[in-house]
Amino acid sequence: MNVQDKIKKMENKKGKNHDLVLFRKWLDEYLPEHKSLKKIQVAGTNGKGSTCKWLSMFLQSESYKTGMFTSPHLVSHMERIQIDSKDISLEDWERIYDTWDAFFEEKQLTMFEMDLWMALVYFIEQNVDVAIIEVGLGGRLDATTSLDYMATLITNVGLDHQEFLGDTLEQIAYEKSGIFKPNAIALTTEKDPACQKVMELVADYLNVMLGFVSLSDISKTKDGYKLVYNGVDYFAKIPEYQIDNMILALETLFVLGYSISSKHIQEVLDNFNWLGRFSVLREDPYVLVDGAHNVPGIKALVNELQSFDGTIYFSVLKEKDASDMIEELKKLTKDIVLVRFDTDRLYPLEHLGLPIIEFDELETIIKNTKENILLCGSLYFVGDVLKIKL
């Protein structure tokens, strides 16, 4: 079995994760070194991957060796495990997988549990200074919540994954607040008072210090934004929705005692990039891909692209609020085309009343377009787009 076969085998191990107490018991027994890792956990409806990236870049700017575990991947499964923004090599991935394969089979771990386990093994081997861990789904019952953390973060709360997390913002806020732990600070940029109240109740019950983070001193400039943090002016050419993610990461490190110089803060602002999130593939004509995959994410994207002039190519998974997402996109343009791509989770696009093309047609369009185009709706769709060689 070659390494690609092993990746495929792992990716077929879908299903419900194990009870957290049991998963933690296995970690303590077979990988006790995990307890010595300094870790930060990031949850949220949108922006959690970006917040992980901001944390990683700020820490790297001060020469901290930084591990990062995120999901899903866009192009390569190796993206899920990174050190200092570099994917784990296929050789290291295969070596760790082979070491633990029998254990994974014996315990019947899911793909996500295996990914997390392998990330921890790699971070321990590489002796990282800080490990940043992104929640997979929700928080309270997520495998990542079996670990101990210095800080637990929630970016925001939106209506997504209702089939697992609940039908109201308050229910989803409760599920995400399930990551809070005594002896770990909790921070969030969530602004909805009802969600904040739920978080406060959970934090009080668990005796957790909870902080609400915001950056009020922001002004629009011709080229981006002027930000004032701790009395210092910074300039950022990032989407507005990334400002909350950035300040959540920066404030977390400040509270934890990691000093990031103003020079390095500006350098990170100048160089921030997170694959598939507001990524420009070509500037003339403008070809933009963004992994906005739910209504709150689409709203943030539309707010950022108010002067967009072109065609939107959209594809979405069946569990999403596709109609509401399209209504938001129509605020930018009526020229919206749906795209079939290879997934068994695809939304029944024919129900949406818009023109539909196959993915190979889209590939030809991207390579030959003379107009601006935006591609969005699913991270998996964006991942397939990013595999196209322009």
Side-chain angles (χ1 to χ4, degrees):
M1 186 183 293
N2 63 34
V3 65
Q4 294 302 328
D5 291 332
K6 293 169 185 176
I7 293 169
K8 187 175 181 180
K9 177 185 173 183
M10 173 192 268
E11 290 181 344
N12 285 330
K13 297 287 188 179
K14 303 293 178 63
K16 185 179 179 181
N17 290 330
H18 289 83
D19 176 81
L20 296 192
V21 174
L22 178 60
F23 191 67
R24 175 57 186 253
K25 179 176 178 291
W26 291 336
L27 283 166
D28 290 349
E29 181 177 354
Y30 296 97
L31 197 65
E33 301 92 339
H34 79 89
K35 290 180 279 189
S36 65
L37 282 174
K38 293 182 177 178
K39 300 179 289 294
I40 299 171
Q41 185 184 25
V42 184
T45 299
N46 289 304
K48 55 184 182 291
S50 294
T51 301
C52 289
K53 184 64 173 178
W54 283 109
L55 285 164
S56 179
M57 290 185 68
F58 283 132
L59 286 165
Q60 288 175 65
S61 76
E62 296 291 346
S63 299
Y64 291 102
K65 192 173 187 179
T66 308
M68 186 171 73
F69 170 71
T70 59
S71 63
H73 63 274
L74 295 180
V75 178
S76 165
H77 201 108
M78 302 305 106
E79 296 167 28
R80 295 171 178 242
I81 304 173
Q82 298 184 3
I83 290 181
D84 289 344
S85 297
K86 294 181 181 177
D87 298 351
I88 187 173
S89 68
L90 276 171
E91 293 76 17
D92 280 329
W93 187 95
E94 185 174 26
R95 174 181 54 80
I96 295 171
Y97 178 87
D98 288 346
T99 300
W100 292 94
D101 182 33
F103 170 81
F104 294 158
E105 285 293 324
E106 176 192 349
K107 304 300 185 185
Q108 289 296 293
L109 297 193
T110 65
M111 179 189 71
F112 187 80
E113 290 170 332
M114 287 187 268
D115 279 329
L116 176 59
W117 194 286
M118 291 175 66
L120 294 170
V121 171
Y122 191 52
F123 298 159
I124 291 165
E125 283 182 357
Q126 297 296 314
N127 195 29
V128 301
D129 295 311
V130 181
I132 301 160
I133 309 292
E134 180 188 1
V135 166
L137 176 64
R140 184 173 63 91
L141 301 177
D142 192 75
T144 61
T145 302
S146 63
L147 303 169
D148 301 318
Y149 296 96
M150 299 185 291
T152 57
L153 315 183
I154 300 175
T155 56
N156 49 52
V157 176
L159 290 174
D160 198 16
H161 299 294
Q162 290 103 307
E163 68 273 27
F164 301 110
L165 304 180
D167 295 325
T168 68
L169 290 175
E170 291 86 350
Q171 287 174 318
I172 296 173
Y174 170 73
E175 291 296 326
K176 295 188 184 303
S177 301
I179 68 173
F180 295 164
K181 284 184 170 64
N183 304 316
I185 64 168
L187 296 173
T188 182
T189 44
E190 175 57 47
K191 298 175 177 61
D192 181 82
C195 293
Q196 288 183 339
K197 183 63 177 176
V198 171
M199 293 182 193
E200 287 176 333
L201 290 171
V202 174
D204 286 345
Y205 178 76
L206 296 173
N207 195 27
V208 170
M209 182 181 73
L210 172 64
F212 296 102
V213 178
S214 64
L215 185 62
S216 57
D217 202 340
I218 307 170
S219 55
K220 192 86 171 68
T221 68
K222 182 178 70 172
D223 298 322
Y225 297 92
K226 176 186 173 185
L227 319 172
V228 182
Y229 178 70
N230 284 346
V232 180
D233 292 354
Y234 298 99
F235 297 90
K237 293 182 180 180
I238 56 176
E240 184 179 9
Y241 63 80
Q242 282 290 3
I243 294 175
D244 275 350
N245 302 327
M246 182 276 297
I247 198 60
L248 180 58
L250 195 55
E251 189 68 8
T252 297
L253 297 176
F254 176 79
V255 172
L256 291 175
Y258 293 93
S259 178
I260 313 298
S261 71
S262 56
K263 174 187 175 184
H264 288 152
I265 291 172
Q266 186 60 62
E267 286 176 356
V268 171
L269 285 167
D270 291 341
N271 295 291
F272 180 80
N273 180 51
W274 183 223
L275 186 65
R277 284 73 168 183
F278 216 80
S279 296
V280 178
L281 302 188
R282 187 187 299 142
E283 292 192 355
D284 188 19
Y286 195 55
V287 178
L288 177 73
V289 297
D290 190 276
H293 56 280
N294 52 39
V295 175
I298 291 290
K299 284 183 176 180
L301 177 62
V302 168
N303 182 63
E304 192 64 31
L305 290 174
Q306 293 179 7
S307 59
F308 177 78
D309 179 21
T311 298
I312 297 173
Y313 294 91
F314 177 83
S315 200
V316 62
L317 301 184
K318 59 188 176 184
E319 62 267 23
K320 302 295 182 176
D321 293 326
S323 296
D324 288 345
M325 294 166 74
I326 288 171
E327 287 306 308
E328 290 296 325
L329 290 172
K330 284 180 178 177
K331 295 176 182 178
L332 294 177
T333 178
K334 303 301 182 192
D335 296 323
I336 300 174
V337 178
L338 308 179
V339 184
R340 296 189 204 277
F341 72 106
D342 186 19
T343 175
D344 57 4
R345 296 169 59 194
L346 187 67
Y347 193 95
L349 300 179
E350 60 276 7
H351 295 173
L352 296 174
L354 291 171
I356 302 171
I357 63 172
E358 302 299 322
F359 191 84
D360 57 352
E361 297 176 67
L362 175 66
E363 185 171 349
T364 300
I365 290 169
I366 293 172
K367 290 180 177 179
N368 298 288
T369 184
K370 298 292 191 295
E371 67 166 356
N372 298 326
I373 60 176
L374 165 66
L375 305 112
C376 63
S378 162
L379 277 171
Y380 297 95
F381 172 55
V382 165
D384 282 357
V385 169
L386 291 172
K387 294 174 187 175
I388 297 172
K389 295 180 180 179
L390 298 181

